[in-house]
Amino acid sequence: MANKELLKGNTRLIILSALARQPMHGYALSKHLKTELAEMFKFGVGMLYPALHKMERERLIVGAWQAVEGADRRVYSVTKRGKRVLANEKARWRAFSSLVTNFVQTAV
Amino acid sequence: MMQQTFWNVLERRLLVGGEKRQEILTELRQHFDVAGSVSTMGDPELLARRYNRVHTGVLSSLSRLYGTIIASLLVLWALSWLRYPVPNEFVLINHTAFFLSSMFGAVRGLSFVVLVVLVGSAVTRMRRMWWHVFATAMTALAVSVLTTLLTSGGSADMMFPVITVGVMTVLGLLASVFVSPLPRLRSRIQTIGRVAAESLLGIALGTVIFFIATMFTEGTLAPYDLYPAWARPPHGTFIRAFNDFFESGAGAWGVAVLATGAFFVFVLYRERRIVLTSRSGEAASYITPAFRSRRKKYKK
């Protein structure tokens, strides 16, 4: 039941939430998202990496080459600014979801 | 899709150049090494286009580039109407209109400089950089000639906008060197060479910024400096006080000193980054924890 439209508007929220738990490299992040969100969102690699680069340019996350399991990997972590944005996005999401839930529940 | 075809298409379509290009390709190849297939990566053309959009801004596609140029020209055109809203003789009576027209004139000029610096900065991130520099300069020249032909009707001042656009393009490209990503410097000689070249360029640009800011202050913030006393706004009005503040003394040099000072602080900060990152033997982001620890070590 993957929903592309839902994903489009919430890419930042999802990536920031995942990286806020722990810094990850691209492959680990894609696996993590696949495990956690496969039912609802299909996160293609072709979408994930450019999104990471975009967020890095926006200084929401920062990438650094680190040795992980014997290989150099670009590990991403959330910046202070990213944490602020994540808090805002979370609040926006909560407000949106509760509003829609209430609205849908009142439907016949 | 065959793996080799995927990489060929991606490399051909990826416009991002320099170190960032290597970083993108390395990162994707590492993903491929673990995943074992390129099928999860989707269409290489679309992937390249997404990266281009992130890293090359208005140059990621021709429609974006020309869309930006056309939008900027429309804004400049609209502002030029505000620049000359009243005939000259009326200007002397309506001081507020003259003051506003000077301010809008400055906005028009500055918006163009900002556009050129943005394009220049995008150009330095591209593969085949010099080809794009040439194409951008030619486009700027063509646009300026076209604008001149449309607006001046072939008058004696025809060459002025062309020269202005040319100078601004060169300045923008030079300025863009300072916002381009830092390369991976391996040897001490490379570091010394780069720092020396950038310092010289920085001094030249700082001088130009100082003169432009001085001219900006004189032409826009003190528009009545060359007017006879009777044609100036009366004493006690805001416009007169504003004009007098920027006409002489600290006000006349303040903007130029601040702008040049800010630029030199940026240059020094950047040169420091070059020295630090090259000493560490690898190019790293200056806000990573690894870099912070190296910086502390270096300070000691």
Side-chain angles (χ1 to χ4, degrees):
Chain A
M1 207 178 87
N3 191 323
K4 263 190 180 179
E5 291 306 313
L6 258 180
L7 179 61
K8 251 186 199 175
N10 297 294
T11 309
R12 272 196 341 179
L13 173 65
I14 292 168
I15 293 177
L16 283 174
S17 302
L19 292 178
R21 291 177 195 174
Q22 66 172 89
M24 275 181 264
H25 54 80
Y27 181 74
L29 181 62
S30 76
K31 262 183 77 175
H32 178 76
L33 295 176
K34 201 174 172 183
T35 316
E36 299 271 328
L37 302 168
E39 272 185 33
M40 199 66 193
F41 303 114
K42 197 180 170 204
F43 241 110
V45 175
M47 192 177 172
L48 179 65
Y49 281 98
L52 285 170
H53 279 241
K54 190 178 176 212
M55 288 169 66
E56 197 180 6
R57 278 185 74 92
E58 292 169 348
R59 296 184 186 170
L60 300 177
I61 58 173
V62 61
W65 291 97
Q66 285 176 16
V68 180
E69 293 162 8
D72 264 358
R73 301 232 178 266
R74 196 162 168 76
V75 176
Y76 295 93
S77 54
V78 182
T79 61
K80 269 186 187 170
R81 189 179 172 177
K83 282 176 188 162
R84 273 202 309 273
V85 171
L86 176 61
N88 290 340
E89 296 259 316
K90 267 183 180 174
R92 184 183 64 86
W93 175 261
R94 276 192 211 108
F96 170 77
S97 61
S98 68
L99 192 73
V100 174
T101 309
N102 288 342
F103 184 73
V104 171
Q105 275 172 355
T106 56
V108 181
Chain B
M1 182 181 279
M2 295 276 290
Q3 281 165 26
Q4 199 48 49
T5 318
F6 176 90
W7 294 112
N8 287 346
V9 173
L10 180 69
E11 291 203 22
R12 203 171 55 241
R13 297 288 178 190
L14 190 64
L15 294 173
V16 186
E19 195 173 334
K20 190 47 84 178
R21 181 185 182 81
Q22 291 311 316
E23 209 172 87
I24 290 169
L25 292 172
T26 309
E27 193 175 31
L28 289 175
R29 280 188 196 280
Q30 280 174 346
H31 183 102
F32 164 74
D33 287 344
V34 188
S37 163
V38 290
S39 60
T40 52
M41 294 189 189
D43 180 6
E45 218 170 307
L46 188 64
L47 181 61
R49 215 179 300 150
R50 281 182 180 143
Y51 274 120
N52 292 341
R53 214 173 295 152
V54 172
H55 291 289
T56 60
V58 290
L59 293 184
S60 63
S61 72
L62 278 180
S63 56
R64 271 189 170 215
L65 173 63
Y66 287 103
T68 309
I69 289 174
I70 289 167
S72 307
L73 283 177
L74 282 174
V75 171
L76 299 183
W77 178 77
L79 287 175
S80 69
W81 281 95
L82 294 167
R83 177 76 175 85
Y84 304 108
V86 283
N88 276 342
E89 50 274 21
F90 188 60
V91 159
L92 298 180
I93 303 162
N94 191 341
H95 294 295
T96 310
F98 181 52
F99 181 72
L100 284 176
S101 75
S102 295
M103 297 301 275
F104 278 120
V107 170
R108 183 176 60 162
L110 287 177
S111 64
F112 186 75
V113 175
V114 169
L115 174 75
V116 170
V117 171
L118 282 178
V119 170
S121 128
V123 161
T124 58
R125 293 199 190 94
M126 309 208 41
R127 192 165 61 113
R128 299 188 203 122
M129 188 178 93
W130 293 111
W131 189 92
H132 289 287
V133 168
F134 178 74
T136 310
M138 286 296 111
T139 309
L141 196 68
V143 169
S144 62
V145 170
L146 191 68
T147 315
T148 312
L149 286 175
L150 288 173
T151 53
S152 73
S155 72
D157 294 335
M158 187 178 158
M159 284 312 288
F160 180 70
V162 178
I163 293 166
T164 309
V165 170
V167 170
M168 289 301 179
T169 306
V170 171
L171 278 181
L173 290 173
L174 287 178
S176 66
V177 170
F178 288 98
V179 288
S180 64
L182 294 174
R184 200 177 286 256
L185 298 170
R186 294 200 183 277
S187 72
R188 186 170 285 270
I189 293 172
Q190 269 184 333
T191 311
I192 292 168
R194 167 121 193 185
V195 170
E198 288 215 348
S199 301
L200 282 176
L201 192 60
I203 291 167
L205 266 178
T207 313
V208 172
I209 287 171
F210 183 80
F211 280 110
I212 288 178
T214 313
M215 282 163 64
F216 168 80
T217 308
E218 197 183 318
T220 307
L221 301 177
Y224 294 99
D225 63 333
L226 297 176
Y227 277 66
W230 61 267
R232 294 179 171 215
H235 279 289
T237 58
F238 169 73
I239 295 173
R240 180 64 186 263
F242 191 87
N243 180 84
D244 289 352
F245 177 76
F246 287 107
E247 190 178 326
S248 58
W253 302 101
V255 175
V257 168
L258 275 177
T260 316
F263 174 72
F264 278 122
V265 167
F266 176 66
V267 170
L268 286 174
Y269 184 64
R270 187 180 165 86
E271 299 311 319
R272 184 167 154 272
R273 271 185 71 190
I274 295 175
V275 173
L276 286 176
T277 49
S278 60
R279 278 199 175 204
S280 73
E282 63 183 89
S285 171
Y286 63 98
I287 49 174
T288 59
F291 182 79
R292 276 201 208 110
S293 64
R294 275 200 302 277
R295 192 169 55 181
K296 276 178 195 162
K297 203 173 152 189
Y298 177 71
K299 273 184 179 172
K300 283 173 193 170

